[in-house]
Amino acid sequence: MYKLRNISRASKYIHQALYDAKFYNSRLRMVEINTILPVIENSRYKWINRQKTLLTAFGATVMVSLIVTVLLLGKIRRRNRRLSEVHHNLMKKSNMLKKTSEALSNLNNKLKEANEIKDQYIIQSLYGNSAFVNEVEEQTKFAARKIMAKQYDDALAMLHHLGIKEERERMYASFDYAFLKLFPNFIDEFNRLFPAEAQIHLDEDGRLPMEIRIFALMRLGIDNASQIAEYLNLSVNTVYVYKTKLKSKSNVSKENFDAMVMAIKKP
């Protein structure tokens, strides 16, 4: 087998012969085998090393081929994406050219409404918070001085009286004022969706009920339940409960309710 270069069988057979010689305690055979075994094993190790080298080279070739393939695929995908974007832009421009003057007029009205929302709501609800921010800053500095002086009880009391709850109510009141200034007809139009016994009314201070604030935010374009929940300090589940409860009392189907609210126009 060794002369035929069948190294694997030669190694297997010589080890079997060595095992038999040891089993029968044939010292002469063991001496003969030990003169041949190193030659065969040396050839086997060389053969194994050659196989490893070939496998390594093959693996490296496959890896390079895979890398080149991935790079080519990425390049093709990027080209396809650019072609898709070009096609999309062409279709978009084509659709824009087909728009009628009525669609352009509606767009202008929406832009005008968006500007009014920006001017009224953002200024009232966001920039109006500067006083509270200044107050918190002053109270925080005062609390820090108390902590430095190791007057921990005074610092803790100061932090407990920052007025977060009152500021949140003030923020809601500011929102209600800004929204009703933008949509003074919202409550009347909203109540058209309900029977007389289920209609909604402002509270004694002229503020919106919490469930109406949800739909007011939606009318302003904030239709993400998580954002609404965060703004109103509610859980997302509570937002859905409020909406479902109102829809169940409505004269219109639940599927069309949101669309009809969004269709309420400014006077």
Side-chain angles (χ1 to χ4, degrees):
M1 291 295 102
Y2 177 74
K3 289 180 179 179
L4 293 173
R5 308 309 299 167
N6 194 336
I7 305 300
S8 179
R9 282 191 177 185
S11 177
K12 180 178 178 182
Y13 294 163
I14 198 66
H15 279 90
Q16 182 63 42
L18 180 61
Y19 172 80
D20 292 341
K22 287 181 179 179
F23 182 80
Y24 292 104
N25 196 24
S26 177
R27 295 184 179 181
L28 179 60
R29 294 301 183 191
M30 284 191 284
V31 171
E32 292 177 345
I33 291 169
N34 284 330
T35 61
I36 302 171
L37 181 61
V39 177
I40 295 176
E41 286 302 297
N42 185 48
S43 297
R44 188 171 73 89
Y45 289 143
K46 289 181 179 179
W47 177 81
I48 289 173
N49 287 331
R50 284 197 299 271
Q51 295 298 315
K52 287 182 178 179
T53 302
L54 289 174
L55 285 174
T56 301
F58 178 75
T61 302
V62 171
M63 183 61 68
V64 171
S65 298
L66 287 175
I67 293 173
V68 171
T69 301
V70 170
L71 292 175
L72 289 175
L73 286 175
K75 188 174 182 179
I76 291 172
R77 286 181 179 177
R78 287 192 296 271
R79 286 186 177 180
N80 288 338
R81 192 180 299 115
R82 286 196 294 268
L83 289 174
S84 178
E85 290 175 355
V86 170
H87 176 72
H88 177 73
N89 290 333
L90 289 174
M91 292 299 296
K92 186 176 180 180
K93 290 179 180 179
S94 177
N95 290 334
M96 290 177 64
L97 292 174
K98 295 178 181 178
K99 287 183 178 180
T100 61
S101 59
E102 181 181 355
L104 291 174
S105 177
N106 290 334
L107 179 60
N108 288 331
N109 291 334
K110 289 180 180 179
L111 290 173
K112 182 179 179 181
E113 179 180 295
N115 287 331
E116 291 182 2
I117 290 173
K118 178 192 68 176
D119 294 340
Q120 296 294 331
Y121 171 63
I122 294 180
I123 292 175
Q124 290 289 336
S125 297
L126 300 181
Y127 295 144
N129 294 330
S130 60
F132 177 70
V133 172
N134 293 335
E135 180 182 351
V136 169
E137 183 179 11
E138 291 298 323
Q139 296 287 0
T140 304
K141 289 180 180 178
F142 184 78
R145 289 195 296 270
K146 290 291 185 182
I147 292 173
M148 294 295 293
K150 298 185 178 180
Q151 298 175 354
Y152 302 119
D153 291 339
D154 292 343
L156 186 61
M158 183 66 63
L159 294 175
H160 276 303
H161 292 84
L162 283 177
I164 299 297
K165 183 177 180 180
E166 291 78 6
E167 173 58 21
R168 191 177 296 279
E169 291 300 323
R170 189 200 66 76
M171 181 181 69
Y172 291 155
S174 178
F175 170 80
D176 295 346
Y177 171 80
F179 180 78
L180 292 174
K181 189 172 182 181
L182 285 168
F183 295 91
N185 61 326
F186 185 82
I187 294 297
D188 292 337
E189 295 297 325
F190 192 83
N191 280 331
R192 293 180 186 274
L193 307 177
F194 295 89
E197 63 275 11
Q199 292 188 353
I200 309 297
H201 302 284
L202 301 177
D203 64 14
E204 295 179 356
D205 296 327
R207 296 185 181 181
L208 296 170
M210 184 61 75
E211 58 268 29
I212 302 302
R213 286 196 188 110
I214 294 173
F215 287 96
L217 286 167
M218 290 174 59
R219 181 60 188 86
L220 291 174
I222 306 174
D223 56 358
N224 185 289
S226 298
Q227 292 178 332
I228 294 174
E230 182 177 359
Y231 181 83
L232 298 179
N233 196 31
L234 302 172
S235 68
V236 175
N237 184 60
T238 302
V239 171
Y240 285 125
V241 169
Y242 273 133
K243 292 179 65 176
T244 302
K245 185 177 179 181
L246 272 179
K247 290 179 182 180
S248 65
K249 299 178 182 179
S250 174
N251 290 327
V252 301
S253 66
K254 295 180 180 180
E255 293 76 14
N256 297 328
F257 188 85
D258 288 354
M260 295 188 72
V261 172
M262 296 300 293
I264 295 176
K265 298 184 179 299
K266 292 171 80 295

